[in-house]
Amino acid sequence: QVQLQESGPGLVKPSQTLSLTCTVSGGSITTNYYYWSWIRQPPGKGLEWMGAITSSGSIYYSPSLKMRTSISRDTSKNQFTLQVSSVTPEDTAVYYCARAATLRVRVRNRSEFEYWGQGTQVTVSS
C-alpha cells in the first residue's frame, strides 16, 4: 500500500518561500511511470493542481504558478519537494501530495489520483 505524507512549516511569512516535502512509503518514486503531484485547496475554493514530477524526473508546472514554483526530488529518501517563492496570503491553503497514473493538470475529482497524503495546512501571515 502506497502512502504519502506531507511535512513542512504550517506558517510562512509573506514574501518568503514555502517549502514542503512529501515522503512516500510502500513504493519507489522512480519505478513504473507515475506523476507525483502537488495539489492545494485554498479555503472555500476547489482543488488546484500545482505541478508534478514523474518517475523518470520530468517536471510539469501549472502555467499560473510556474514562475514561483519549483518541484524536485531526493530519490535516496524517496521524497519529492515543493517550493513556492514570494508567497502572499492567497497562497494560504491545505497542500496535498498525490500520485496519478496520467498527467492531470486539473483536479475535477479526487479519484483521478490514486493515492493522496492527508494534507498539511499552510498559512501565509505576518
Side-chain angles (χ1 to χ4, degrees), residues 50-106:
M50 302 180 70
I53 184 167
T54 69
S55 302
S56 63
S58 298
I59 301 173
Y60 300 84
Y61 295 106
S62 167
S64 63
L65 295 169
K66 184 176 182 178
M67 296 300 293
R68 299 194 293 126
T69 304
S70 177
I71 295 174
S72 60
R73 66 180 184 175
D74 185 335
T75 57
S76 67
K77 296 180 180 179
N78 214 37
Q79 297 173 333
F80 60 105
T81 63
L82 170 74
Q83 290 190 320
V84 182
S85 63
S86 303
V87 297
T88 72
E90 285 67 41
D91 293 305
T92 294
V94 178
Y95 285 76
Y96 299 93
C97 54
R99 191 188 88 173
T102 58
L103 182 62
R104 302 285 187 178
V105 298
R106 294 178 64 182

Side-chain angles (χ1 to χ4, degrees), residues 108-126:
R108 295 181 177 86
N109 194 310
R110 288 179 66 99
S111 63
E112 295 174 345
F113 292 79
E114 302 166 309
Y115 297 100
W116 289 75
Q118 65 182 21
T120 186
Q121 172 70 46
V122 177
T123 300
V124 179
S125 175
S126 56

